[in-house]
Amino acid sequence: MICKLVTYAPTRKEAIDHMKKALDGYVIDGITHNTPLLREIMRNERFRSGDVSTKFLEEEYPGGFSGSQLTPSQERELLPAITVIHHLKTRRSSHTGEFDYVVTCDGKQQPVKLNIDKGAYHVTITDKTVSVGDVDAKHKSLYEFTLNNDTPVSIQHLKFDGVTHTLRYECNKRHVTVVTPLQQRYLDTMPVKEAEDTSNLLLSPMPGSLSFIAVSEGDEVLEGSEVAVVDCHE
């Protein structure tokens, strides 16, 4: 499935900036897609300057692209915004007051204070306060904010289990935990479940019945080779 997303502006860099915003608000459900890579390319200085060739991806991402780590400036955008989203989802009736949270993203825990005054949100992280305004739920999963009255931020909110928010920020999927300090103390006492080692397993992409195995012991299996046939369970 191919879909085109086009932006335009008087200059190349302005058009690229428009594309960044368009990708941030481009909601795609149910299928895998490459918007995280496209969003990363939009901030690549070589691409922004127009210095590209047919080997651009090979030269810029020789090991492939597997997502990006949050920069400090991105943290300053994401953490206040997800704190407000969490509060809206868990304490809808609380329109004023101070609230303490602990936000964990990329394994980093940070205390956060949310102050609400007559519907205005102010989030303090490590002594730096950010005002979060123009909160708008454009789509069932798309939230748009303005930080400090001038920085627009878009977040796609995909799932919330009561503790952890699954979201897309700048198109990259992230899992962010937002809890109260008391909840965090309880969580700290719980053993961490180790991820299962599946490196020596071949996992089916869907539940079903194994109807045919196309390889035998000792066969060389190359990328893209047929290995087995699984009948899907409806």
Side-chain angles (χ1 to χ4, degrees):
M1 182 179 293
I2 298 176
C3 180
K4 284 189 176 181
L5 180 62
V6 180
T7 57
Y8 62 92
T11 68
R12 176 182 177 85
K13 290 188 176 181
E14 287 177 299
I16 289 173
D17 288 338
H18 287 332
M19 179 60 75
K20 287 162 65 176
K21 180 174 175 56
L23 285 168
D24 288 346
Y26 200 24
V27 179
I28 305 175
D29 289 330
I31 57 174
T32 56
H33 50 84
N34 65 346
T35 58
L37 171 61
L38 300 178
R39 185 60 167 78
E40 181 68 19
I41 290 172
M42 292 304 107
R43 70 163 134 249
N44 181 285
E45 287 303 323
R46 178 181 164 190
F47 178 83
R48 291 176 67 85
S49 70
D51 178 21
V52 295
S53 70
T54 55
K55 292 188 175 182
F56 174 81
L57 289 177
E58 179 183 341
E59 293 169 350
E60 292 296 306
Y61 308 98
F65 177 76
S66 58
S68 59
Q69 288 293 111
L70 282 176
T71 65
S73 63
Q74 289 173 326
E75 277 190 2
R76 290 192 292 271
E77 291 183 357
L78 173 58
L79 269 57
I82 193 59
T83 300
V84 172
I85 289 176
H86 179 83
H87 188 85
L88 290 173
K89 286 187 171 294
T90 58
R91 301 187 181 184
R92 296 189 180 202
S93 61
S94 302
H95 301 298
T96 187
E98 288 191 354
F99 306 87
D100 291 313
Y101 293 108
V102 178
V103 180
T104 303
C105 182
D106 288 349
K108 183 179 179 182
Q109 241 181 62
Q110 297 199 62
V112 175
K113 183 177 291 292
L114 172 64
N115 181 281
I116 308 176
D117 182 18
K118 298 179 181 178
Y121 299 94
H122 304 280
V123 181
T124 302
I125 305 173
T126 58
D127 298 328
K128 293 184 179 180
T129 300
V130 176
S131 64
V132 181
D134 299 329
V135 180
D136 190 4
K138 293 276 187 187
H139 177 270
K140 64 180 182 179
S141 64
L142 178 62
Y143 288 82
E144 294 188 346
F145 307 85
T146 302
L147 304 186
N148 292 333
N149 298 317
D150 64 1
T151 303
V153 176
S154 298
I155 291 180
Q156 295 184 32
H157 192 270
L158 308 179
K159 182 181 177 183
F160 177 50
D161 63 8
V163 173
T164 301
H165 298 266
T166 303
L167 55 89
R168 286 191 182 277
Y169 166 70
E170 295 194 354
C171 296
N172 285 280
K173 183 179 284 189
R174 302 195 181 278
H175 303 282
V176 183
T177 298
V178 185
V179 294
T180 66
L182 177 60
Q183 289 173 320
Q184 187 61 58
R185 287 199 294 273
Y186 288 145
L187 287 173
D188 289 340
T189 65
M190 299 176 65
V192 178
K193 183 179 179 181
E194 294 185 6
E196 182 181 359
D197 181 10
T198 60
S199 60
N200 63 340
L201 301 177
L202 180 63
L203 303 179
S204 172
M206 59 186 179
S209 299
L210 181 63
S211 61
F212 176 69
I213 298 178
V215 294
S216 302
E217 185 176 349
D219 287 352
E220 181 181 10
V221 179
L222 303 176
E223 184 177 356
S225 300
E226 182 184 61
V227 175
V229 176
V230 176
D231 291 331
C232 177
H233 288 165
E234 295 184 1

